[in-house]
């Protein structure tokens, strides 16, 4: 859009019309191309794997693509106290509402789920994490929260090692060394619990008349986990 | 509201202002509804219009009648009326530790169509909204491909474009309601959802350009924000990490996926992934990575943090279910709703929205008697695949108590479940994908409440 001030409507419109005519004749459209499957050519650049490498930071559940380097529980403890404990708690119990590292033991988690009581508030690395390489991936890309992606591979391995030790992950003793060969071998306690969804699991029918007899049991404000005072939105509330 | 009006509204005046011929039409239709729902038949009077009071005060002009208004471009990017200041996104403080890894909700109680205005689109961040420079931003497509490629945002805009209207729903929509009634507001029960016209490049266009190996069965996108969020998306032949096939139900959605640069005709907002995001219609919103910088084609899932800890369901048998990717058929009545009180007896229109991640909405049925009897609602065009569909049904409120609810059926024949049915298979710890029938209770006082029916 032109920034110059238009002194006169007529002039401005005339100029726009000229521009339109010019642009119509300036472009040639390729009408021979198959419109249903346009072949795209001449757009973008090829790139080498070496150039992509700094961005190729996904570590698969089975350890594929884990970086070189290693870390220890004791080195991780120092990093954790300095950069993580303020949010995740000195003992991994969570602080200020941030996630716990240590949840209910996995059998207790399972029992709570089966009993229909709250199983999800006390989740942690020991009951809701399938694979150790995923933990390394998460920490290396996303933590510490205030400075994501700033840990070196050795630091990320160390603090991964430490939080697993904190959560009593079997095999991760005080002398455990985390690297790309040791992490995939760790058996996370929750690993056997994961199942893949098989599709819709409810089968309601489209009943239209007299769908049930008797009275419905209506519940109002039954089981508040949080503060229900949020309640109704006030029209004047513009937070 | 009333202090802004110069002309007093006489007590009992019909504030809805429905013209009398429309009114007769509404009344005729509502007889049909009454026939289906015995509960309101007796109390609806065909002569209700006769009970209206009469306005006698001579009308006065409003102040705007005698003044000049603002000139053009006094607001270069238009904003809603100052009287609409209450129509905003809201968050729930206790849900998350801070507002950086958090969620806000779209005020569906104030919206009238299927399109979410861009400024009211719900927000979900894992590391906050960032301002990515479109000149410097790049998208890399690599992995099991013939030729890895890198694109600028302008490159993407030059390619053949694709535009479609689709809903986008966080799988946590309704999550606070699994254990019991908690949020007495439509904004908070259903506000983690939007519907927009999306424009971008089809994923299949990019796949052709790089020559994706037919042996690739998964791909994932990754963002350039602090969370560098990544989600595995299955394609034909995908197997999970245990070697079991991913159901075919989930392996074709990617064909509609696109890399978007525009929503509702303008550039994406920073909150929604500017300058580009992945968008997979019908799938839970978390897979539609914002600030997209990388697409990688692979032959196994990553099993990311999001897929291990966040977007999983804890089932009543103690198992943890992964890859529940589609938002199944769902619906909600947006008016009446708990955010507003009924404004006297008489004519209303029950309005709502329905959607399904499997395709088009086929029917929406409405009950005003707690689900004993149902009447099919009118579907408002357009009725599109994986898109919100608006529904309406005339309603005469007789001033008595009603349990109102809507039930969607999609083109696959799937019928939206009751909360009881959903809890039977998913228990109370499932958190995500709560698509059960929402019940509102209209009280005699005109208050509307969020309630749950436990036994049917």
């Amino acid at each position: 859009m032109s920034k110059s001030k238009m002194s006169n409507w007529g002039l401005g419109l005339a100029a726009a019309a000229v521009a339109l005519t010019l642009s119509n004749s300036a472009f040639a459209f390729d009408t021979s191309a198959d419109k249903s499957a346009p072949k795209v050519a001449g757009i973008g650049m090829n790139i080498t794997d070496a150039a992509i490498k700094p961005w190729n930071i996904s570590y698969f559940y089975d350890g594929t693509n884990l970086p070189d380097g290693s870390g220890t529980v004791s080195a991780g403890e120092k990093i954790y106290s300095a950069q993580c404990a303020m949010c995740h708690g000195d003992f991994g119990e969570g602080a200020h509402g941030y996630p716990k590292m240590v949840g209910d033991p996995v059998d207790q988690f399972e029992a709570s789920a089966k009993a229909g009581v709250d199983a999800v508030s006390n989740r942690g690395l020991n009951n809701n994490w399938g694979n150790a390489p995923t933990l390394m991936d998460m920490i290396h890309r996303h933590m510490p929260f205030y400075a994501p992606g700033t840990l070196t591979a050795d630091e990320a391995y160390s603090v991964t090692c430490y939080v697993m030790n904190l959560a009593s992950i079997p095999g991760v003793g005080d002398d455990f060394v985390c690297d790309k060969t040791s992490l995939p071998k760790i058996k996370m306690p929750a690993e056997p619990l994961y199942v893949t969804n098989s599709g819709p699991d409810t089968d309601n029918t489209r009943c239209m008349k007299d769908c049930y007899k008797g009275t419905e049991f209506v519940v109002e404000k039954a089981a508040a986990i949080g503060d229900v005072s949020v309640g109704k939105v006030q029209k004047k509330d513009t937070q | 509201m009333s202090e802004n009006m110069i002309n007093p509204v006489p007590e009992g005046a019909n504030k809805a202002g429905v013209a009398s011929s429309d009114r007769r039409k509404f009344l005729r239709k509502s007889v049909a509804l009454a026939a289906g729902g015995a509960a309101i038949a007796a109390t609806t009077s065909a002569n209700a219009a006769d009970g209206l009071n009469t306005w006698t005060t001579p009308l006065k002009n409003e102040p705007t009648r005698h003044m000049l208004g603002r000139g053009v471009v006094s607001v270069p990017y238009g904003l809603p009326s100052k009287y609409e200041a209450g129509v905003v996104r809201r968050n729930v403080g206790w849900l998350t530790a801070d507002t950086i890894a958090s969620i806000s909700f779209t005020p569906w109680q104030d919206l009238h169509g299927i399109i979410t205005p861009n400024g009211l689109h719900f927000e979900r961040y894992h590391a906050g909204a960032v301002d990515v420079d479109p000149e410097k931003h790049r998208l890399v497509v690599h992995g099991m491909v013939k030729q890895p490629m890198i694109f600028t945002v302008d490159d993407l805009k030059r390619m053949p474009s694709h535009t479609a209207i689709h809903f986008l729903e966080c799988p946590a929509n309704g999550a606070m309601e699994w254990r019991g009634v908690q949020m007495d507001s439509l904004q908070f029960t259903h506000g983690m959802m939007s519907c927009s016209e999306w424009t971008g490049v089809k994923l299949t266009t990019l796949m052709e350009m790089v020559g994706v190996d037919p042996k690739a069965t998964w791909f994932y996108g990754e963002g350039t924000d602090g969370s560098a969020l990544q989600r595995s998306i299955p394609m034909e032949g995908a197997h999970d990490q245990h070697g079991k096939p991913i159901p075919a139900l989930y392996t074709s959605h990617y064909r509609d996926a696109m890399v978007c640069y525009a929503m509702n005709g303008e550039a994406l907002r920073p909150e929604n992934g500017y300058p580009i995001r992945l968008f997979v219609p019908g799938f839970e919103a978390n897979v539609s990575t914002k600030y997209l910088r990388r697409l990688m084609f692979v032959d196994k899932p990553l099993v990311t943090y999001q897929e291990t800890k966040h977007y999983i369901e804890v089932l009543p048998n103690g198992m943890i279910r992964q890859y529940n990717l589609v938002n199944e058929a769902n619906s909600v009545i947006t008016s009446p709703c708990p955010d507003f009180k009924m404004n006297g007896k008489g004519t209303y229109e029950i309005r709502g929205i329905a959607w399904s991640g499997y395709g088009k909405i086929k029917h929406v049925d409405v009950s005003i008697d707690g689900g004993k009897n149902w009447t099919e609602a009118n579907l408002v065009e357009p009725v599109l695949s994986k898109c919100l569909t608006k529904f309406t049904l005339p309603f005469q409120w007789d001033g008595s108590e009603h349990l109102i609810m809507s039930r969607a059926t999609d083109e696959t024949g799937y019928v939206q479940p009751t909360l009881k049915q959903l809890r039977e298979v998913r228990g109370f710890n499932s958190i995500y994908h709560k698509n059960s029938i929402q019940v509102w209770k209209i009280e005699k006082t005109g208050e509307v409440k969020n309630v749950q029916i436990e036994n049917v």
Side-chain angles (χ1 to χ4, degrees):
Chain A
M1 253 252 201
S2 160
K3 284 197 183 92
S4 68
K5 215 172 170 178
M6 281 182 210
S7 55
N8 167 310
W9 276 97
L11 259 182
L13 289 177
V18 169
L20 195 67
T21 326
L22 278 178
S23 66
N24 270 345
S25 55
F27 285 91
F29 291 99
D30 180 6
T31 47
S32 63
D34 177 2
K35 287 195 184 74
S36 62
K39 258 261 169 292
V40 183
I43 303 182
M45 289 172 76
N46 296 335
I47 184 169
T48 63
D49 286 337
I52 298 171
K53 198 160 186 272
W55 281 14
N56 192 5
I57 55 162
S58 297
Y59 315 146
F60 286 71
Y61 72 94
D62 60 0
T64 304
N65 206 36
L66 275 171
D68 294 337
S70 67
T72 61
V73 172
S74 57
E77 183 173 9
K78 292 192 194 78
I79 299 165
Y80 186 87
S81 326
Q83 300 189 48
C84 321
M86 64 279 231
C87 291
H88 296 301
D90 287 339
F91 308 101
E93 76 283 15
H96 316 294
Y98 289 105
K100 299 171 198 298
M101 298 290 102
V102 188
D104 290 336
V106 73
D107 44 352
Q108 192 184 325
F109 162 82
E110 238 186 299
S112 302
K114 285 179 176 160
V117 299
D118 177 23
V120 288
S121 302
N122 280 327
R123 286 187 294 167
L125 307 180
N126 52 336
N127 64 27
N128 240 257
W129 212 285
N131 308 89
T134 306
L135 184 59
M136 171 68 181
D137 177 276
M138 191 283 174
I139 291 174
H140 204 189
R141 80 175 48 235
H142 193 2
M143 292 293 135
F145 190 54
Y146 55 83
T150 57
L151 298 176
T152 64
D154 287 354
E155 287 168 341
Y157 273 126
S158 297
V159 81
T160 298
C161 233
Y162 179 69
V163 292
M164 287 196 293
N165 178 273
L166 204 55
S168 312
I169 302 302
V172 187
D174 295 347
D175 300 325
F176 194 77
V177 177
C178 285
D179 61 25
K180 66 179 172 190
T181 48
S182 69
L183 280 190
K185 291 186 195 133
I186 292 165
K187 281 259 158 272
M188 296 298 275
E191 206 267 340
L193 298 183
Y194 287 90
V195 287
T196 289
N197 183 37
S198 55
D201 54 1
T202 58
D203 56 352
N204 199 6
T205 51
R206 211 177 149 230
C207 170
M208 300 302 285
K209 258 191 177 356
D210 302 324
C211 299
Y212 63 91
K213 300 243 175 317
T215 34
E216 60 284 325
F217 180 41
V218 178
V219 179
E220 302 175 15
K221 293 253 173 84
I225 308 169
D227 170 15
V228 290
S229 69
V230 172
K232 273 193 214 308
V233 171
Q234 298 299 309
K235 283 297 277 177
K236 36 186 184 339
D237 164 17
T238 57
Q239 84 179 46
Chain B
M1 201 75 177
S2 61
E3 64 269 21
N4 297 323
M5 302 183 85
I6 321 161
N7 288 308
V9 178
E11 192 120 338
N14 172 19
K15 290 176 201 165
V18 182
S20 61
S21 69
D22 283 351
R23 168 169 288 272
R24 275 194 300 278
K25 215 159 68 194
F26 276 125
L27 285 172
R28 267 206 311 280
K29 280 201 187 162
S30 67
V31 171
L33 177 62
I40 62 155
T43 49
T44 306
S45 159
N47 292 326
D50 294 347
L52 294 179
N53 288 348
T54 304
W55 183 302
T56 53
T57 327
L59 292 166
K60 290 179 199 158
N61 285 327
E62 293 176 66
T64 51
R65 176 68 189 83
H66 303 295
M67 61 186 267
L68 289 179
R70 289 179 293 274
V72 296
V73 297
S74 58
V75 187
Y77 192 105
L79 293 167
S81 159
K82 65 178 179 181
Y83 301 113
E84 298 294 319
V87 182
V88 289
R89 295 189 277 233
R90 291 181 174 81
N91 67 335
V92 175
W94 53 259
L95 263 187
T96 51
D98 59 33
T99 58
I100 310 292
S102 190
I103 184 124
S104 72
F105 301 77
T106 292
W108 279 107
Q109 68 276 12
D110 293 301
L111 300 182
H112 303 277
I114 58 168
I115 298 291
T116 315
N118 286 346
L120 296 176
H121 193 293
F122 75 97
E123 304 153 283
R124 173 70 172 117
Y125 310 134
H126 287 266
V130 288
D131 296 306
V132 178
D133 181 344
E135 292 287 319
K136 299 198 179 107
H137 189 64
R138 294 291 182 273
L139 173 68
V140 166
V141 186
H142 73 133
M144 297 170 68
V145 303
K146 249 195 223 101
Q147 178 58 63
M149 292 187 80
I150 182 165
F151 302 105
T152 64
V153 176
D154 281 344
D155 287 341
L156 296 168
K157 289 182 179 166
R158 223 180 98 192
M159 292 175 196
S161 65
H162 178 70
T163 294
I165 307 178
H166 291 296
F167 77 83
L168 180 65
E169 185 185 23
C170 174
N173 207 13
M176 291 93 88
E177 306 281 306
W178 275 103
R179 306 204 137 255
V181 175
Q182 188 152 234
M183 312 308 294
D184 209 12
S185 156
L186 169 63
Q187 183 158 14
F188 297 128
T189 57
H190 289 81
M192 297 186 195
M193 196 226 349
S194 64
C195 185
S196 315
E197 184 206 67
W198 299 95
T199 299
V201 178
K202 280 200 106 170
L203 181 75
T204 47
T205 302
L206 294 170
M207 287 174 71
E208 204 181 274
M209 290 175 75
V210 297
V212 171
D213 183 337
K215 288 203 275 298
T217 50
W218 291 84
F219 78 96
Y220 63 90
E222 180 190 70
T224 194
D225 60 325
S227 69
L229 196 129
Q230 47 174 4
R231 280 295 302 266
S232 314
I233 297 164
M235 305 193 291
E236 290 87 355
H239 285 66
D240 67 15
Q241 67 271 33
H242 319 290
K244 295 214 184 74
I246 297 291
L249 276 172
Y250 307 121
T251 58
S252 61
H253 277 72
Y254 81 93
R255 286 189 225 142
D256 291 334
M258 42 180 157
V259 174
C260 293
Y261 43 79
M263 56 197 286
N264 296 328
E266 65 175 359
L268 300 181
R269 296 284 172 94
E271 297 95 310
N272 306 110
Y274 181 89
I276 54 170
R277 78 175 301 164
L278 181 62
F279 180 63
V280 188
F283 270 17
E284 59 183 25
N286 181 252
V287 306
S288 292
T289 311
K290 299 192 284 187
Y291 319 109
L292 185 72
R293 74 167 184 181
R294 191 163 68 97
L295 288 168
M296 188 173 190
F297 289 85
V298 290
D299 60 1
K300 58 189 171 192
L302 283 166
V303 195
T304 67
Y305 168 51
Q306 306 296 334
E307 291 154 20
T308 295
K309 163 66 199 288
H310 272 278
Y311 301 102
I312 47 90
E313 294 151 307
V314 177
L315 299 179
N317 63 3
M319 302 300 271
I320 303 171
R321 188 166 75 167
Q322 289 177 305
Y323 312 116
N324 187 10
L325 295 166
V326 172
N327 291 312
E328 291 166 0
N330 202 346
S331 70
V332 66
I333 293 174
T334 55
S335 178
C337 74
D339 305 77
F340 298 105
K341 211 177 153 176
M342 304 293 281
N343 198 5
K345 294 178 202 177
T347 298
Y348 289 85
E349 185 176 56
I350 290 179
R351 298 178 187 139
I353 43 181
W355 63 99
S356 165
Y358 283 116
K360 288 183 186 174
I361 289 296
K362 195 74 192 277
H363 311 282
V364 179
D365 305 311
V366 168
S367 171
I368 59 168
D369 64 0
K372 286 199 175 85
N373 297 288
W374 299 79
T375 303
E376 183 158 6
N378 313 305
L379 300 188
V380 178
E381 290 293 333
V383 178
L384 302 170
S385 181
K386 301 165 192 168
C387 181
L388 293 193
T389 297
K390 181 174 171 172
F391 63 88
T392 62
L393 191 70
F395 173 51
Q396 296 298 318
W397 187 46
D398 56 8
S400 67
E401 235 176 63
H402 286 288
L403 293 170
I404 63 169
M405 53 222 268
S406 63
R407 179 184 66 196
T409 303
D410 71 16
E411 63 178 325
T412 70
Y414 174 93
V415 182
Q416 185 184 357
T418 65
L419 181 58
K420 179 173 180 257
Q421 290 168 336
L422 202 57
R423 280 178 175 161
E424 271 163 12
V425 290
R426 308 252 186 99
F428 291 85
N429 285 299
S430 188
I431 306 183
Y432 299 104
H433 292 282
K434 188 192 155 290
N435 66 326
S436 58
I437 292 170
Q438 173 67 55
V439 189
W440 305 132
K441 181 182 180 191
I442 303 178
E443 305 263 24
K444 286 197 185 78
T445 57
E447 296 282 339
V448 182
K449 274 191 178 155
N450 174 13
V451 300
Q452 292 181 346
I453 296 178
E454 291 217 319
N455 59 334
V456 265

